[in-house]
């Protein structure tokens, strides 16, 4: 995780977020969401689009020299932008539903 | 917007929405990273470019999108209007009707024995063939038992059986056959 949380100074909000995140993982919902997202992204061709972008990075850097960082840096920003709105909407719906259920 | 009627103790709606977006963002990032790792491994293991072939081969197998032709370039309703000659009655039959016609013409197949049984069972008095008297009782049993008996008898009875198929058409006006075929049967 990117944030370092000092438990003593955590606000109630942060506490709650941490708690929900934990529930998300423990209840397996995060894994299910990941799978759902993966399936949707394959379906809509996002995966193929990104693979094509990767090909460009590879051709630029050369097969021997290309590193994971090259790929990540070259592809992730576009990858985020290319996710279709419908997919985002559907995932958000599920996330919101989970939050509503488990945020008390 | 959906109404959420759950009490959100310390977070209001906009913060919840922000949190949801954050979770989504994490998930998308996971997906991107996952893809990058997969691609990287494929590149280093040498199987990333495996499904690329040379341009010429790609052209050979391209999907065909023309009218009247399927995606492989084959004509698919080529046999629709062709006519075949039946080896049994020497009539010219349309290709799509050929199989059912053969079934009835040769006296084989489920439907033809059923029709034959029905005709025989409906009382054909003019038929003098020997097998008929014996078979009348058995005829109303289901197809397969009748067929089993048929096998036990000698070849000759098969011929007689076929004959009894054809003759009833003459005398039975309720025959399911169309009148057109009746004319030909008389030849």
């Amino acid at each position: 995780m990117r944030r370092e949380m000092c438990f003593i100074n955590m606000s109630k909000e942060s506490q709650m977020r941490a708690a929900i995140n934990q529930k998300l993982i423990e209840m397996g919902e995060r894994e299910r969401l990941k799978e759902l997202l993966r399936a949707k992204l394959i379906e809509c061709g996002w995966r193929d689009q990104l693979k094509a972008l990767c090909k460009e990075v590879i051709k630029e850097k050369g097969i021997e020299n290309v590193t994971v960082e090259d790929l990540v840096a070259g592809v992730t920003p576009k990858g985020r932008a290319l996710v279709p709105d419908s997919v985002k909407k559907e995932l958000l719906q599920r996330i919101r539903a989970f939050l509503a259920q488990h945020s008390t | 917007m959906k109404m959420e009627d759950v009490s959100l103790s310390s977070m209001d709606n906009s913060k919840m929405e922000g949190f949801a977006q954050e979770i989504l963002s994490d998930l998308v990032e996971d997906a991107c990273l996952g893809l990058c790792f997969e691609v990287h491994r494929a590149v280093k293991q040498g199987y990333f470019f495996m499904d690329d072939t040379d341009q010429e081969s790609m052209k050979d197998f391209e999907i065909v999108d023309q009218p009247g032709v399927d995606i492989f370039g084959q004509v698919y309703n080529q046999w629709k209007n062709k006519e075949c000659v039946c080896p049994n009655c020497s009539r010219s039959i349309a290709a799509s009707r050929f199989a059912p016609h053969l079934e009835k013409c040769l006296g084989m197949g489920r439907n033809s024995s059923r029709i034959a049984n029905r005709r025989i069972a409906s009382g054909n008095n003019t038929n003098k063939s020997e097998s008929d008297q014996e078979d009348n009782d058995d005829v109303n049993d289901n197809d397969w038992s009748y067929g089993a008996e048929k096998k036990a008898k000698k070849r000759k009875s098969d011929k007689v059986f076929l004959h009894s198929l054809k003759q009833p058409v003459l005398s039975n006006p309720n025959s399911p056959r169309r009148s057109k075929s009746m004319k030909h049967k008389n030849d």
Side-chain angles (χ1 to χ4, degrees):
Chain A
M1 286 285 267
R2 17 186 184 81
R3 294 185 301 251
E4 265 138 332
M5 294 190 195
C6 174
F7 283 107
I8 300 171
N9 291 336
M10 257 199 337
S11 65
K12 239 188 161 198
E13 187 188 313
S14 309
Q15 274 180 351
M16 185 170 224
R17 283 178 151 198
I20 296 182
N21 267 322
Q22 199 178 353
K23 264 198 192 159
L24 208 56
I25 295 174
E26 279 175 1
M27 294 179 70
E29 183 67 10
R30 189 166 199 277
E31 198 62 36
R32 280 190 288 269
L33 287 168
K34 253 179 101 172
E35 275 311 308
L36 178 64
L37 180 62
R38 189 167 199 271
K40 292 275 161 193
L41 289 176
I42 293 176
E43 231 176 65
C44 70
W46 175 92
R47 196 158 199 270
D48 298 323
Q49 281 177 295
L50 249 68
K51 262 192 166 176
L53 286 174
C54 287
K55 268 191 198 168
E56 287 174 25
V57 175
I58 295 164
K59 288 196 175 134
E60 192 189 308
K61 305 274 179 173
I63 294 187
E64 300 296 318
N65 301 327
V66 71
T67 62
V68 180
E69 288 81 4
D70 290 333
L71 289 171
V72 170
V75 153
T76 306
K78 292 202 195 121
R80 295 170 157 279
L82 285 172
V83 178
D85 283 337
S86 56
V87 175
K88 280 193 205 162
K89 242 176 148 190
E90 194 173 334
L91 263 290
L92 275 175
Q93 256 185 331
R94 267 186 76 155
I95 296 171
R96 279 189 217 118
F98 185 85
L99 293 181
Q101 254 191 315
H102 298 275
S103 58
T104 43
Chain B
M1 249 212 7
K2 260 201 316 190
M3 289 294 287
E4 292 166 357
D5 60 342
V6 177
S7 61
L8 307 165
S9 38
S10 60
M11 282 173 84
D12 58 25
N13 266 354
S14 65
K15 290 227 174 92
M16 271 308 203
E17 185 61 25
F19 191 27
Q21 291 282 353
E22 210 179 278
I23 296 176
L24 176 67
S25 192
D26 276 347
L27 288 168
V28 169
E29 176 123 7
D30 270 0
C32 289
L33 282 180
L35 183 88
C36 289
F37 277 113
E38 273 179 47
V39 167
H40 182 259
R41 183 166 207 273
V43 167
K44 296 299 178 182
Q45 297 279 330
Y47 60 82
F48 185 65
F49 289 107
M50 215 152 63
D51 46 0
D52 290 347
T53 22
D54 58 306
Q55 275 293 84
E56 212 181 271
S57 307
M58 298 278 270
K59 273 250 165 90
D60 281 344
F61 299 114
E62 236 181 290
I63 291 183
V64 178
D65 189 13
Q66 292 166 19
V69 146
D70 67 18
I71 62 173
F72 297 116
Q74 297 165 357
V75 187
Y76 59 79
N77 56 1
Q78 201 176 74
W79 314 112
K80 231 208 272 191
N81 303 323
K82 293 235 169 165
E83 293 203 332
C84 324
V85 178
C86 173
N88 206 37
C89 60
S90 306
R91 282 166 58 205
S92 181
I93 314 283
S96 52
R97 299 301 311 159
F98 191 49
H101 163 81
L102 257 193
E103 204 186 15
K104 300 207 171 58
C105 195
L106 292 175
M108 288 159 48
R110 266 197 288 162
N111 285 329
S112 56
S113 53
R114 240 182 250 142
I115 294 172
N117 290 344
R118 218 191 306 147
R119 264 190 249 120
I120 294 172
S122 63
N124 184 6
N125 298 329
T126 62
N127 196 328
K128 286 187 191 160
S129 62
E130 53 173 1
S131 64
D132 220 60
Q133 305 308 324
E134 298 166 343
D135 293 347
N136 252 331
D137 288 326
D138 301 333
V139 136
N140 290 327
D141 295 344
N142 70 60
D143 293 348
W144 296 118
S145 61
Y146 184 64
E149 274 194 90
K150 194 168 85 169
K151 271 190 192 162
K153 293 180 188 158
K154 289 186 192 158
R155 271 288 169 190
K156 186 179 168 198
S157 55
D158 278 1
K159 265 196 172 173
V160 175
F161 173 59
L162 281 177
H163 254 290
S164 66
L165 266 187
K166 292 182 183 174
Q167 293 213 18
V169 175
L170 273 176
S171 49
N172 189 351
N174 297 330
S175 161
R177 290 224 186 158
R178 297 172 297 185
S179 51
K180 185 182 172 194
S181 44
M182 266 171 67
K183 279 193 210 149
H184 283 270
K185 285 292 168 197
N186 294 345
D187 290 347

